[in-house]
Amino acid sequence: MHPWTGPTVSVIPGTGEVPLIRDDITGRLQPSVVGERADLYVCGITPYDSTHLGHAFTYLAFDLLVRAWRDLGVTVRYAQGLTDVDDPLLERARATGKDWWRLATSQAALYKSDMAALRVIPPDSYRGVVESVPQIVGAVERMIDAGQAYRVPVPDAGASSLGDVYADLGADPGFGSLTGLSPEAQDRLFAERGGDPDRPGKRQRLDPLLWRAARPDEPSWDGRTLGRGRPGWHIECAVIAAGELDQPIDVLGGGTDLIFPHHEMSVSHSRALTGLDQPVRLTMHTGMVHLDGQKMSKSVGNLVFVSDLLSRGVNPAALRLALISHHYRDDWEWRGREVAWAEARLARWREAIGSVKPQGHSGEAIAKIRAALAADLDTVSAIAAVDEWVSAAPLARDRSPYAAADLRRAVDALLGIKLY
Ligand code: ZN
């Protein structure tokens, strides 16, 4: 699936530092890449209610990581999935009387145009669940053969139904190691976030669905020995990541609401499919954007959309700057006035960088931006470094247009903000 057309990215002198990321589990800063190649998987959207500011905040964080890796000079391989068939999408289509596939494709198209407007570098591999069904079927078949998955009869489905397929978490001694949650917390979050702990016939309450046998009025695909049906949620990311990236992948990412069960389950499936104890080196999760005191979410319905803001004339560079003015791991409240502040900051940056006198350099400011981003993508300090240079600009006699050009290129390459 074609993602979107990416922005041109400026080249700046020198190279950046290895970005350190604070690992969710250990709480320690860890190198985000250890070799010449960096592999990143980020969970994509379920295409309805796209693209709200919570989505944008998440994908901008990983865009900053990709930019820092490129600046370091490593080869980046970035894969992103698209959950283009899933229960919430089908429910929304049903509730609004829309065809589910039209809803998915139109919302995916909107997401892509929003990402392009925000100058987000597209993933190298962008794969939908629907186009990945044959690979997912193969993976589930292998898990059944290996004794890592089992069938559960579907009530009232008749003798011809082969049943649903669930992963047997009892076969994975590593399950739970990603998040370290208590069994009580696991059970609660599983029930809250799409799981079915009380489904009769399962071996363990937390066992996740791998393949849902076809039901009336639901889309389904040929599942070969599984029978017709559609994939479960967590297996899709494990299969797409395994197919597109070197294992172990360096960073697995998404919003904090994906840590459990989605990423714990996905990594469990990846262990089953790859035979590796640790198929993921690091996880990176982004904070939640709130509105009126509550997390911005589809279920609550308190959403602010990128496309609405842009259609009201908001400058996409100002929106991008407003969003990355918050550290990626922080939860924060959207108040709306951030855009005006970002517009004012952009105006100051443009004016100062265009008005400086000959001779001098901006190397120190660029080094500060690089150092800030290498320290767990500290955009707050990176932006402060640009502010510092800009506020000194009218006073300095030793600043050249060349220095300004270098800084302009650095702001573009590292922060994704184009000042010209
Ligand atoms: Zn995922």
Side-chain angles (χ1 to χ4, degrees), residues 329-349:
R329 270 188 297 100
D330 289 345
D331 293 339
W332 56 280
E333 173 95 13
W334 173 259
R335 299 180 194 280
R337 60 192 181 215
E338 294 90 339
V339 170
W341 295 343
E343 289 275 17
R345 179 175 259 146
L346 273 181
R348 285 197 305 276
W349 286 9

Side-chain angles (χ1 to χ4, degrees), residues 187-375:
D187 202 76
R188 179 176 54 78
L189 289 171
F190 184 64
E192 282 175 13
R193 296 174 178 171
D196 54 356
D198 298 317
R199 168 78 188 264
K202 293 202 322 184
R203 292 179 186 168
Q204 284 91 204
R205 284 173 61 76
L206 296 182
D207 287 351
L209 180 73
L210 295 173
W211 185 254
R212 178 175 163 87
R215 306 294 205 273
D217 304 323
E218 285 189 12
S220 61
W221 288 265
D222 176 16
R224 298 194 294 253
T225 63
L226 309 178
R228 286 194 72 81
R230 61 182 169 93
W233 179 24
H234 317 301
I235 187 69
E236 66 193 48
C237 291
V239 169
I240 294 171
E244 302 295 329
L245 303 174
D246 280 356
Q247 313 271 330
I249 66 172
D250 292 289
V251 176
L252 169 67
T256 46
D257 51 354
L258 294 185
I259 293 180
F260 195 93
H262 184 53
H263 283 166
E264 187 78 62
M265 301 290 186
S266 271
V267 171
S268 174
H269 299 336
S270 295
R271 265 193 295 275
L273 296 171
T274 64
L276 296 172
D277 287 341
Q278 284 194 311
V280 170
R281 279 204 318 108
L282 290 175
T283 60
M284 172 175 153
H285 290 100
T286 56
M288 296 287 115
V289 182
H290 291 66
L291 183 70
D292 301 328
Q294 269 189 300
K295 172 189 148 186
M296 209 177 270
S297 76
K298 297 173 181 185
S299 52
V300 179
N302 57 343
L303 303 174
V304 176
F305 295 100
V306 170
S307 52
D308 282 353
L309 293 174
L310 300 185
S311 68
R312 277 192 258 139
V314 168
N315 173 356
L319 180 55
R320 181 177 172 114
L321 185 56
L323 291 168
I324 68 170
S325 298
H326 300 270
H327 189 268
Y328 78 86
R329 270 188 297 100
D330 289 345
D331 293 339
W332 56 280
E333 173 95 13
W334 173 259
R335 299 180 194 280
R337 60 192 181 215
E338 294 90 339
V339 170
W341 295 343
E343 289 275 17
R345 179 175 259 146
L346 273 181
R348 285 197 305 276
W349 286 9
R350 284 202 179 96
E351 188 188 351
I353 289 172
S355 67
V356 289
K357 302 286 192 292
Q359 305 303 319
H361 63 89
S362 56
E364 192 182 330
I366 295 172
K368 281 184 182 173
I369 299 169
R370 279 178 161 145
L373 293 173

Side-chain angles (χ1 to χ4, degrees), residues 80-112:
Q80 189 178 124
L82 171 72
T83 307
D84 52 7
V85 61
D86 200 12
D87 292 342
L89 172 69
L90 299 176
E91 283 162 19
R92 173 59 63 88
R94 238 175 262 132
T96 55
K98 289 185 179 152
D99 174 76
W100 71 274
W101 183 244
R102 273 176 189 264
L103 174 65
T105 49
S106 65
Q107 290 286 300
L110 186 57
Y111 166 73
K112 291 178 190 179

Side-chain angles (χ1 to χ4, degrees), residues 4 45 50-51 59 80 107-115 126:
W4 55 92
I45 60 163
S50 60
T51 308
Y59 298 108
Q80 189 178 124
Q107 290 286 300
L110 186 57
Y111 166 73
K112 291 178 190 179
S113 63
D114 290 340
M115 290 296 105
Y126 187 55

Side-chain angles (χ1 to χ4, degrees), residues 137-181:
V137 168
V140 177
E141 287 177 328
R142 287 200 301 281
M143 288 177 70
I144 293 176
D145 289 346
Q148 296 158 330
Y150 59 97
R151 298 176 197 270
V152 174
V154 177
D156 307 322
S160 61
S161 172
L162 296 170
D164 297 331
V165 181
Y166 281 80
D168 183 355
L169 294 178
D172 176 17
F175 178 76
S177 57
L178 187 76
T179 49
L181 291 169

